[in-house]
Amino acid sequence: MIITCEKDDLVNALSIAEKALPSKTIIPMLNNIIIETVDDATHLKSTDTEISIDTVLNGNIIDQGSVALNGRLFIDIARSLPKEQVTIKVDDHNEASIKCGLSEISIKGMGTVDFPQLPVISNGMSFNISSTIFRDMIRQTAFSIAPPDDNREVLTGELLKFENDEIMLVSVDGYRISIRYEEISEIPDRQFEAVIPGKALMELMRILPPTQENLNIKIDDKRAAFTINGTVMTAQLLNSKFINYEDILLPELSETKTTITVNRADLLSAAERAMLVAKEGKSSLIKLSISEHGMVLTSNADIGKVHEDIPIDINGSAIEIAFNGRYLTDPLKVVDDEQVLMKFNSDVSPCIIEPVDGKSFLYLVLPVRMG
Amino acid sequence: MIITCEKDDLVNALSIAEKALPSKTIIPMLNNIIIETVDDATHLKSTDTEISIDTVLNGNIIDQGSVALNGRLFIDIARSLPKEQVTIKVDDHNEASIKCGLSEISIKGMGTVDFPQLPVISNGMSFNISSTIFRDMIRQTAFSIAPPDDNREVLTGELLKFENDEIMLVSVDGYRISIRYEEISEIPDRQFEAVIPGKALMELMRILPPTQENLNIKIDDKRAAFTINGTVMTAQLLNSKFINYEDILLPELSETKTTITVNRADLLSAAERAMLVAKEGKSSLIKLSISEHGMVLTSNADIGKVHEDIPIDINGSAIEIAFNGRYLTDPLKVVDDEQVLMKFNSDVSPCIIEPVDGKSFLYLVLPVRMG
């Protein structure tokens, strides 16, 4: 195999393939990234068995072939090369010579026969969405994905669901529910729902380009494939049914005694100050006292206390309610809106956070019982 | 005590005082930062007993007084405040109320009587130097300060020495010697040398402003005081005599068989690539083969090898010599010159790295004996 490419293109493609390298594995072959020419395209491939990536390297093929090279070493070397044209030449013993400027680096590689075949989704439903919108959907819900060691495995992923012309991404961690809705112009050919592992979504977010591009999402019974700009990332789905979050959500939505409109950044920074002092008392409890006079947000510890006045518009009755500060600040950090709506029912019922206009997101946050 | 100031000024002054807070201490009082009004200036003070900082807070005094507040909490709170005017009011029970915008934060403080008196240097020699030059002197020599747990305590600091109209900063860690020379216009009133702890120099580097200002350095038998823009940092000196590095250096300087001129960035990036492969073999050995045909830099490991051609100008005989890659790259990383001189004597003698023009720095690096 002989290929040539620019250093920056090599680094970009390897940085994408890197995302599916296993952090540790009992299968040494998976520490490799495959370079493989297929007709007139050079592919870089990697997999940790749950996530697989196949990305096209922008370059020229002089002689067809393939090789498996230690992924992390290959990436470190590519990054360290001078900003010039790179020639990669692989001999019959799978030894790769990487030439760039006055550098020549040889790496002993392996044949690619033992590398697992990457999964391909041939059937399944498919739709297109803007890459920047889908990245926002992940960014604005990922905080309430349950941690990887949670024993309710299905909560370590997010529900991706198509219903009534809308795509929804939902995460639930036992204390809160986060939902992002997005209308899409092109309607998938059928209803569906799938649970995508949190890790796959986080890695996808990292490979989505900063500019808006078309992201194609294809889903079958076992996998989801995300295709953008010559890169395909495939993720195994979690195969349990997602928690029935609507049973928790719907009763809360039907009863609202108090609705307030509040400046998101003001509430966020007040809550963060209150948490600084609460933390000194090994707590993260913050209290909201909401009335027609405004919101008073407080926290207490032996070392001191915080008292924050926050202007609000209120509709309904006064309420006092306490939260784990982090559960309140997590959604406020990821939302971009200047103002948000907060809906309360009682001091033991969840609070709902929604946009002032439209319904692009919904956060449900459980309170902490006081006294 | 009542004082007012802008949020940003409070954060800036606290960020300076923070540098002398102990990372851990058996004296709880030292976890505090002191706020103290003295005539028409508000001082913030901190000490870990080895380093002390006294910095002036830009603000207005309404009522004189002082208080000791938990340093890290105070800093976190200051950073989290809205960008507005801050009023700090301390009552008779040392409870501080910090008001800013619609926030009011109370912190229980302590009286300042138990806080140690910060040292003052009244006698001693004194000189002025540009803050940006002195920061460069630290930055370009700090890498070869011996680590804090080194049993040769004196090597955990740097020698600051005045000799022949020049200020020198010298660090030695057993494998290399780093020296920065700087001529100063204003000649100190006498010769001197002092060993300043590495930690103090690192913290000083962090509080020196990005712009060029006048830095006054005052030294007596026990301490050095660095004064800049209303901030005084005092550091206890290491009281042993510095290692006699000139006994190692002078014989090397008198005999040079080979002198080369090389592009610093080219040599640095070639050595870094070579180290990537050497590291896979749990080594950091890189070899230089220098002749009239140029420099060839190589490294080897089971997984592969690196071969780098580097153009040089050579004066003298050919030489083959090996180095721990890090010892060679450390000085190349901190120097700003486009080209550097490297002087060799034999494959078991140290290499000297110097500027092409002038003598602002000198690095001595021990080679690794081959075979």
Side-chain angles (χ1 to χ4, degrees):
Chain A
M1 186 187 82
I2 306 175
I3 59 166
T4 63
C5 62
E6 289 304 313
K7 179 247 173 134
D8 286 347
D9 289 330
L10 181 62
V11 169
N12 289 344
L14 282 169
S15 301
I16 291 172
E18 180 183 24
K19 303 294 185 291
L21 282 179
S23 52
K24 53 183 172 180
T25 176
I26 50 162
I27 311 167
M29 189 64 186
L30 299 187
N31 290 318
N32 290 296
I33 289 177
I34 299 294
I35 323 179
E36 186 174 47
T37 63
V38 180
D39 302 328
D40 56 353
T42 305
H43 291 253
L44 300 186
K45 296 180 180 181
S46 57
T47 181
D48 67 2
T49 70
E50 291 176 356
I51 302 173
S52 303
I53 289 176
D54 179 340
T55 189
V56 171
L57 169 64
N58 188 13
N60 299 308
I61 300 169
I62 294 163
D63 192 13
Q64 302 277 341
S66 68
V67 71
L69 296 178
N70 180 294
R72 293 190 207 284
L73 177 61
F74 191 16
I75 291 162
D76 287 344
I77 287 171
R79 290 198 176 118
S80 77
L81 292 174
K83 228 176 158 71
E84 292 184 36
Q85 186 177 270
V86 183
T87 303
I88 302 177
K89 195 170 173 177
V90 180
D91 69 15
D92 294 343
H93 306 289
N94 295 309
E95 182 149 341
S97 146
I98 303 167
K99 279 193 191 175
C100 182
L102 296 171
S103 301
E104 180 173 357
I105 294 150
S106 308
I107 309 180
K108 286 182 186 134
M110 299 169 79
T112 57
V113 282
D114 294 335
F115 198 80
Q117 201 69 30
L118 299 194
V120 175
I121 298 186
S122 41
N123 286 310
M125 79 89 218
S126 159
F127 68 98
N128 294 305
I129 188 168
S130 141
S131 61
T132 46
I133 287 178
F134 199 70
R135 189 175 50 206
D136 279 345
M137 293 179 74
I138 302 172
R139 179 177 64 82
Q140 295 178 327
T141 52
F143 64 84
S144 60
I145 299 174
D149 56 356
D150 197 292
N151 54 16
R152 297 156 300 179
E153 194 203 8
V154 75
L155 298 189
T156 66
E158 290 206 63
L159 177 69
L160 177 67
K161 185 172 168 183
F162 174 67
E163 201 177 64
N164 311 326
D165 302 358
E166 276 182 338
I167 288 292
M168 296 165 58
L169 205 53
V170 184
S171 66
V172 177
D173 74 354
Y175 302 97
R176 54 250 175 106
I177 300 173
S178 303
I179 310 178
R180 265 292 263 117
Y181 302 91
E182 200 67 44
E183 280 186 34
I184 53 172
S185 49
E186 186 200 350
I187 298 169
D189 37 12
R190 48 189 147 114
Q191 301 281 89
F192 74 90
E193 51 178 86
V195 185
I196 302 169
K199 180 170 184 296
L201 290 171
M202 300 308 286
E203 298 299 354
L204 175 63
M205 196 161 62
R206 291 187 189 109
I207 66 174
L208 289 177
T211 50
Q212 172 157 327
E213 311 270 353
N214 181 63
L215 171 67
N216 175 268
I217 302 181
K218 196 179 246 181
I219 294 182
D220 70 9
D221 293 346
K222 291 194 175 142
R223 292 185 186 84
F226 303 90
T227 305
I228 186 160
N229 283 351
T231 298
V232 184
M233 175 175 146
T234 314
Q236 236 167 41
L237 300 177
L238 296 177
N239 61 12
S240 341
K241 197 167 158 44
F242 201 68
I243 194 168
N244 200 344
Y245 66 94
E246 285 171 324
D247 286 356
I248 308 163
L249 195 59
L250 292 176
E252 297 306 329
L253 292 177
S254 63
E255 286 184 70
T256 298
K257 294 232 173 69
T258 311
T259 302
I260 64 168
T261 308
V262 61
N263 179 289
R264 182 187 59 82
D266 286 351
L267 177 57
L268 174 60
S269 65
E272 285 179 332
R273 282 188 290 276
M275 286 165 72
L276 288 175
V277 167
K279 201 178 63 181
E280 296 291 316
K282 312 283 179 219
S283 143
S284 47
L285 194 74
I286 62 176
K287 291 181 193 171
L288 310 188
S289 176
I290 293 164
S291 72
E292 59 187 6
H293 305 299
M295 181 194 290
V296 177
L297 187 156
T298 56
S299 72
N300 277 285
D302 285 345
I303 199 170
K305 54 182 195 271
V306 175
H307 181 283
E308 300 275 345
D309 279 315
I310 303 163
I312 56 170
D313 286 333
I314 181 169
N315 201 329
S317 48
I319 185 170
E320 304 223 330
I321 188 167
F323 291 98
N324 177 322
R326 194 164 66 82
Y327 295 161
L328 198 64
T329 54
D330 276 347
L332 297 174
K333 276 181 198 163
V334 292
V335 161
D336 303 318
D337 302 34
E338 196 184 330
Q339 308 272 331
V340 292
L341 285 189
M342 296 177 74
K343 296 178 176 174
F344 304 91
N345 183 17
S346 79
D347 63 355
V348 293
S349 308
C351 158
I352 305 279
I353 303 176
E354 284 183 316
V356 173
D357 297 313
K359 50 160 282 192
S360 65
F361 59 81
L362 185 152
Y363 298 104
L364 176 146
V365 183
L366 283 189
V368 176
R369 274 167 201 266
M370 282 187 294
Chain B
M1 187 187 82
I2 306 176
I3 60 166
T4 63
C5 62
E6 289 303 313
K7 179 246 172 134
D8 286 347
D9 289 330
L10 181 61
V11 169
N12 289 344
L14 282 169
S15 301
I16 292 172
E18 181 182 23
K19 303 294 185 291
L21 282 179
S23 53
K24 53 183 172 182
T25 176
I26 50 163
I27 310 167
M29 189 64 185
L30 299 187
N31 290 318
N32 291 296
I33 289 176
I34 300 293
I35 323 179
E36 186 174 47
T37 63
V38 180
D39 302 328
D40 56 354
T42 304
H43 291 252
L44 299 186
K45 296 180 180 180
S46 58
T47 182
D48 67 2
T49 70
E50 291 177 356
I51 302 173
S52 303
I53 290 175
D54 179 340
T55 189
V56 171
L57 169 64
N58 188 14
N60 299 307
I61 300 169
I62 294 163
D63 192 12
Q64 302 276 341
S66 68
V67 71
L69 296 178
N70 180 294
R72 294 190 207 284
L73 178 61
F74 191 16
I75 291 162
D76 287 344
I77 287 170
R79 290 197 176 119
S80 77
L81 292 174
K83 228 176 159 71
E84 293 184 36
Q85 186 178 268
V86 183
T87 303
I88 302 177
K89 195 170 173 176
V90 180
D91 70 14
D92 294 343
H93 306 288
N94 295 310
E95 182 149 341
S97 146
I98 302 167
K99 280 193 191 175
C100 182
L102 296 171
S103 300
E104 179 173 358
I105 294 149
S106 308
I107 309 180
K108 286 182 186 134
M110 299 169 79
T112 56
V113 281
D114 294 335
F115 198 81
Q117 202 69 30
L118 299 194
V120 175
I121 298 186
S122 41
N123 285 309
M125 80 89 217
S126 159
F127 68 98
N128 295 304
I129 188 168
S130 142
S131 61
T132 45
I133 287 178
F134 199 71
R135 190 176 48 207
D136 279 345
M137 293 179 73
I138 302 172
R139 179 176 64 81
Q140 295 178 328
T141 52
F143 65 83
S144 60
I145 299 174
D149 56 356
D150 197 293
N151 54 16
R152 296 157 300 179
E153 194 203 8
V154 75
L155 298 188
T156 66
E158 290 206 63
L159 177 69
L160 177 66
K161 185 172 168 183
F162 174 67
E163 201 177 63
N164 312 327
D165 302 358
E166 276 182 338
I167 288 291
M168 296 166 59
L169 205 52
V170 184
S171 66
V172 177
D173 73 354
Y175 302 96
R176 52 249 175 107
I177 300 173
S178 304
I179 310 178
R180 264 292 262 118
Y181 302 90
E182 199 68 44
E183 280 186 34
I184 53 172
S185 49
E186 186 201 350
I187 298 169
D189 37 12
R190 50 190 146 114
Q191 301 281 88
F192 74 90
E193 52 178 85
V195 185
I196 301 169
K199 181 170 183 298
L201 290 170
M202 300 309 286
E203 298 300 353
L204 175 63
M205 196 161 61
R206 290 186 190 111
I207 66 175
L208 289 177
T211 50
Q212 173 157 326
E213 312 271 353
N214 181 62
L215 171 67
N216 175 268
I217 303 181
K218 196 179 247 181
I219 294 182
D220 70 9
D221 292 346
K222 291 193 174 143
R223 291 184 185 84
F226 303 89
T227 305
I228 186 161
N229 284 350
T231 297
V232 184
M233 176 175 147
T234 315
Q236 236 167 40
L237 301 177
L238 296 177
N239 60 12
S240 341
K241 198 169 157 44
F242 201 69
I243 194 168
N244 199 344
Y245 66 94
E246 285 171 325
D247 286 356
I248 308 164
L249 196 58
L250 292 177
E252 297 307 329
L253 292 177
S254 63
E255 287 184 69
T256 297
K257 295 231 174 70
T258 311
T259 302
I260 65 168
T261 308
V262 62
N263 179 288
R264 182 187 59 82
D266 286 351
L267 176 57
L268 174 60
S269 66
E272 285 179 332
R273 282 188 291 276
M275 285 165 72
L276 288 175
V277 167
K279 200 178 63 181
E280 296 291 315
K282 312 284 178 218
S283 143
S284 48
L285 194 75
I286 63 177
K287 291 180 193 172
L288 310 187
S289 177
I290 293 164
S291 72
E292 58 187 5
H293 305 299
M295 180 193 290
V296 176
L297 187 156
T298 56
S299 72
N300 277 286
D302 285 345
I303 199 169
K305 55 181 194 271
V306 176
H307 180 283
E308 300 275 344
D309 279 315
I310 303 163
I312 55 170
D313 286 333
I314 182 169
N315 201 329
S317 48
I319 185 169
E320 303 223 331
I321 188 167
F323 292 97
N324 176 321
R326 195 164 66 81
Y327 295 161
L328 198 64
T329 54
D330 277 347
L332 297 174
K333 276 182 198 163
V334 293
V335 161
D336 302 319
D337 302 34
E338 197 184 328
Q339 307 273 332
V340 292
L341 285 189
M342 297 178 75
K343 295 177 176 175
F344 304 91
N345 183 16
S346 79
D347 63 355
V348 293
S349 308
C351 158
I352 305 278
I353 303 176
E354 284 183 316
V356 173
D357 297 312
K359 51 161 281 194
S360 65
F361 59 81
L362 184 153
Y363 299 104
L364 176 146
V365 183
L366 283 189
V368 175
R369 274 167 201 265
M370 282 186 294

